[in-house]
Amino acid sequence: MNLHQYAETHEVTNQPPSLDGANLYRIDLPLQEWSRRYGAGWAQERIDAYGALAGGPLMAAGFLANQNKPQFSSHDRYGHRIDLVEFHPAYHELMRTAIEHGLPSLPWTDPREGAHVARASMTYLHSQAEAGSGCPLTMTFAAVPALKLQPELAEYWLPKVLATEYDPRNVGDRHKVGVTLGMAMTEKQGGTDVRANTTRAYPVGAPGPGQAYELVGHKWFCSAPMCDAFLTLAQTDKGLSCFLLPRHRPDDSRNQFYIQRLKNKLGNCSNASSEVEFRGALAWMIGEEGRGVPTIIEMVAMTRFDCMVGSSALMRQALTQAAHHCAHRQVGGRLLAEQPLMQNVLADLALESEAALALSLRMGRALDQPDDPHQARFARLITAVGKYWICKRAPAMINEAAECMGGAGYVEDSILPRLYREAPVNSTWEGSGNVQCLDVLRALSKEPGVLDTLFAELGDGHGDPRLAAHIGNLKAAFADTADIQYRARQLSEDIAVGLQAKLLLEAGNTAVSDAFIASRLSGNGRVYGVLPRGVDVAALVQRSTPNWPL
Ligand SMILES: Cc1cc2nc3c(=O)[nH]c(=O)nc-3n(C[C@H](O)[C@H](O)[C@H](O)COP(=O)(O)OP(=O)(O)OC[C@H]3O[C@@H](n4cnc5c(N)ncnc54)[C@H](O)[C@@H]3O)c2cc1C
């Protein structure tokens, strides 16, 4: 008798083919359409090339970089202080690829129409493969407007910040062609409340903008502590001021920037986040003394934009995986993607994903037109609205996408658990949900013309009576100023979905806009998968299902 025949217990069937190696751009019709729509038609080849990298080598690197967390050593074997964080080679591959493709630099080095949209599109692809490396990439990108406020510092630092060369060596910045930048504001007693910062800055010589100071104090969160320099806040006699603090002094010695420990985080595992102390660390003042918050807000506005892009990316990757799974998985002899209730869920997820992308790239479009006052006011408002709404929608949406995959979506072999753990951080850092909603009120009440810009942008409903009614209700809600802080989340949500509806209507795909308006402006939708009757769910599911292999 041949016992060997029993060794093969079963055949593997009814499992989806692997998506490994898929070009994330080519399987994403909404990305292709929206990036073209908002001025990045010229960049499609670049975005396409990045899509191939993101779905291939970067996706593989993403798993390795998260399985092998960064390791911190405070001292070397002889007892010398070294403050070193070491990363897996996969993390460096992610950083190198992104920097070489201009993810932190493109709109600053090539500021033509559509440049912000092109960069956001590539960042969207990168973040689908791996989000943790997005933290230093984004901070490096975002530091540029703040750095420009101090021309003599910018003259030295900007060419290095904008270089497409990644140099992770633990050496002084003067030895590097390319550098990365971080940001350290949050202290133990306050993150939202940065004005409560106790870190103190002492002038080395003459005080004032561009001058050298020594900083004494701590920061409770300082992500990517192996960056070459950090924008930070400290108190002077004139109040909270912004400083650029390099990790090395000009003589190449280590600056007095001491890493206490790394945070043990829910997700975002490839990225190191640390607690640090400044014990006389040398730093240079950026911007006006005592105006540190408005100075660093120049950076924070950009990182908030990237939170929108990042959460849109996490949602898209979750949708891609779920739609692909359901297109190949049968239950009861029928593909899940063809079963009515699963179609309702998938179509709803697809709507959320596309609406998030549309608003994020519309924001990129506004950043591409900084000299247009309407666009500048739009960007001011939508930074807060979009950061709040898109980041808030992501965790629940990703959870639902994982559930579409059944048990497979809960297992670490798939990317879904990582996406799910990553999602809440975009909502928390760079100003948490409530802070964004209060900022929406601040922008609308304190900054001239922002409310008018919002309603000019929303228009009259673009021929859709449901959107027209929504806009009317929003106007009434703003006319009533009683309890406005208490209602700030509702107002921010209503702005977000109103704008998303308007953008989808403008784009002209009625299956998408109609379903969005029918579901998002009607008050239902406490969970995903409750689209009303009459929605063309098959078209929506098809639009977002990867046509793979290409
Ligand atoms: C993984 C990770 C990495 C980070 N990296 C960095 C970094 O590199 N650099 C850095 O500077 N910081 C970093 N942070 C810190 C982050 O920006 C702060 O945690 C965040 O700004 C919130 O500050 P907090 O933790 O002090 O919370 P708090 O300020 O105490 O806020 C707690 C809650 O209260 C809400 N709240 C605040 N004010 C109001 C109000 N008036 N009305 C109603 N609700 C309100 C907030 O929305 C929040 O939900 C990081 C955080 C995380 C999780």
Side-chain angles (χ1 to χ4, degrees):
M1 194 170 110
N2 178 10
L3 286 177
H4 184 68
Q5 63 184 304
Y6 298 116
E8 299 300 330
T9 59
H10 65 287
E11 219 183 304
V12 177
T13 61
N14 198 22
Q15 290 283 342
S18 167
L19 262 179
D20 290 355
N23 178 324
L24 297 187
Y25 166 84
R26 292 197 184 169
I27 63 172
D28 190 342
L29 192 58
L31 174 63
Q32 295 166 26
E33 290 182 7
W34 287 100
S35 59
R36 279 200 188 94
R37 178 168 179 75
Y38 290 138
W42 55 268
Q44 296 299 303
E45 267 181 38
R46 279 176 87 153
I47 305 172
D48 181 4
Y50 212 81
L53 290 169
L58 297 184
M59 185 66 78
F63 279 91
L64 282 173
N66 282 277
Q67 282 155 6
N68 299 279
K69 292 186 185 183
Q71 300 294 322
F72 169 55
S73 304
S74 54
H75 297 79
D76 70 7
R77 59 196 283 214
Y78 306 105
H80 304 117
R81 187 98 206 188
I82 50 173
D83 295 279
L84 185 67
V85 182
E86 289 172 296
F87 296 84
H88 189 270
Y91 172 87
H92 294 304
E93 182 187 344
L94 287 154
M95 291 293 292
R96 180 169 294 108
T97 307
I99 289 174
E100 287 178 358
H101 285 79
L103 266 66
S105 57
L106 176 64
W108 313 127
T109 53
D110 187 7
R112 63 174 125 160
E113 198 187 330
H116 274 288
V117 174
R119 187 207 70 95
S121 301
M122 290 196 283
T123 298
Y124 180 74
L125 294 166
H126 184 93
S127 304
Q128 291 186 54
E130 209 289 305
S133 50
C135 173
L137 293 168
T138 235
M139 291 193 291
T140 305
F141 158 71
V144 171
L147 261 183
K148 283 183 176 168
L149 296 175
Q150 205 57 54
E152 66 277 38
L153 290 177
E155 191 182 333
Y156 172 79
W157 284 97
L158 267 190
K160 294 177 188 287
V161 170
L162 299 178
T164 49
E165 189 173 311
Y166 175 57
D167 188 343
R169 286 177 305 147
N170 189 23
V171 298
D173 44 77
R174 71 191 175 98
H175 301 288
K176 296 191 178 190
V177 174
V179 298
T180 51
L181 294 193
M183 171 169 55
M185 296 188 289
T186 308
E187 296 187 3
K188 289 179 181 130
Q189 69 283 359
T192 304
D193 227 349
V194 286
R195 289 186 193 278
N197 274 189
T198 57
T199 296
R200 187 82 207 167
Y202 302 94
V204 174
Q211 298 299 329
Y213 285 73
E214 285 178 343
L215 269 50
V216 180
H218 80 282
K219 296 291 164 183
W220 182 227
F221 278 91
C222 173
S223 286
M226 298 319 283
C227 285
D228 296 284
F230 303 84
L231 263 71
T232 192
L233 294 174
Q235 304 282 359
T236 69
D237 291 345
K238 292 188 180 165
L240 201 59
S241 307
C242 181
F243 294 87
L244 182 76
L245 187 156
R247 212 156 45 76
H248 289 86
R249 291 182 163 237
D251 65 0
D252 288 344
S253 63
R254 284 178 43 255
N255 205 352
Q256 280 60 46
F257 169 92
Y258 296 96
I259 300 173
Q260 301 304 298
R261 59 174 170 171
L262 297 189
K263 298 284 193 187
N264 189 6
K265 297 176 286 184
L266 167 67
N268 194 249
C269 293
S270 67
N271 179 34
S273 300
S274 66
E275 296 165 21
V276 297
E277 285 183 1
F278 306 152
R279 302 185 201 151
L282 197 56
W284 283 262
M285 187 181 281
I286 294 190
E288 226 179 295
E289 187 172 355
R291 302 270 306 153
V293 174
T295 303
I296 212 160
I297 283 288
E298 294 276 338
M299 178 173 185
V300 172
M302 291 293 159
T303 57
R304 287 179 177 169
F305 169 46
D306 271 6
C307 290
M308 296 168 64
V309 175
S311 283
S312 303
L314 298 176
M315 286 195 272
R316 171 65 212 191
Q317 181 56 211
L319 171 67
T320 298
Q321 297 291 336
H324 176 70
H325 183 91
C326 293
H328 296 276
R329 177 81 169 175
Q330 293 194 3
V331 175
R334 204 168 157 206
L335 286 174
L336 281 171
E338 291 169 357
Q339 308 214 23
L341 185 53
M342 186 57 95
Q343 284 192 325
N344 195 328
V345 175
L346 288 173
D348 209 1
L349 299 180
L351 283 175
E352 197 63 38
S353 167
E354 182 158 354
L357 174 68
L359 191 58
S360 298
L361 293 192
R362 173 64 185 87
M363 170 76 192
R365 173 81 171 157
L367 293 174
D368 275 323
Q369 297 163 288
D371 300 330
D372 177 335
H374 174 84
Q375 300 298 335
R377 287 193 291 261
F378 180 85
R380 167 67 187 91
L381 178 66
I382 300 313
T383 305
V385 169
K387 158 75 160 87
Y388 169 65
W389 185 242
I390 294 172
C391 299
K392 193 56 79 186
R393 296 293 281 175
M397 186 278 187
I398 294 164
N399 170 230
E400 199 65 67
E403 194 174 314
C404 292
M405 297 169 64
Y410 197 72
V411 172
E412 297 284 351
D413 293 350
S414 89
I415 196 174
L416 266 300
R418 169 147 58 94
L419 299 175
Y420 184 60
R421 284 195 302 270
E422 183 71 26
V425 81
N426 282 333
S427 192
T428 296
W429 62 16
E430 309 308 316
S432 310
N434 287 354
V435 172
Q436 299 309 312
C437 296
L438 296 174
D439 195 43
V440 169
L441 298 185
R442 193 174 305 116
L444 287 169
S445 62
K446 298 245 157 58
E447 303 202 11
V450 172
L451 191 63
D452 292 342
T453 295
L454 170 64
F455 286 112
E457 182 75 20
L458 282 170
D460 57 4
H462 296 261
D464 189 295
R466 297 163 297 181
L467 180 56
H470 181 83
I471 294 167
N473 291 340
L474 199 53
K475 283 184 178 158
F478 276 112
D480 171 10
T481 52
D483 303 326
I484 198 146
Q485 280 203 13
Y486 184 73
R487 294 183 289 123
R489 279 191 178 222
Q490 186 66 56
L491 292 167
S492 302
E493 172 175 337
D494 288 344
I495 295 173
V497 293
L499 274 172
Q500 288 177 320
K502 181 260 181 175
L503 299 178
L504 296 173
L505 265 175
E506 264 181 353
N509 184 326
T510 46
V512 176
S513 60
D514 209 54
F516 187 87
I517 290 169
S519 55
R520 296 334 192 242
L521 303 190
S522 63
N524 64 356
R526 282 179 283 271
V527 293
Y528 289 98
V530 292
L531 295 177
R533 280 180 169 149
V535 167
D536 188 353
V537 284
L540 295 178
V541 173
Q542 197 188 6
R543 179 170 168 77
S544 285
T545 301
N547 181 11
W548 172 251
L550 284 171

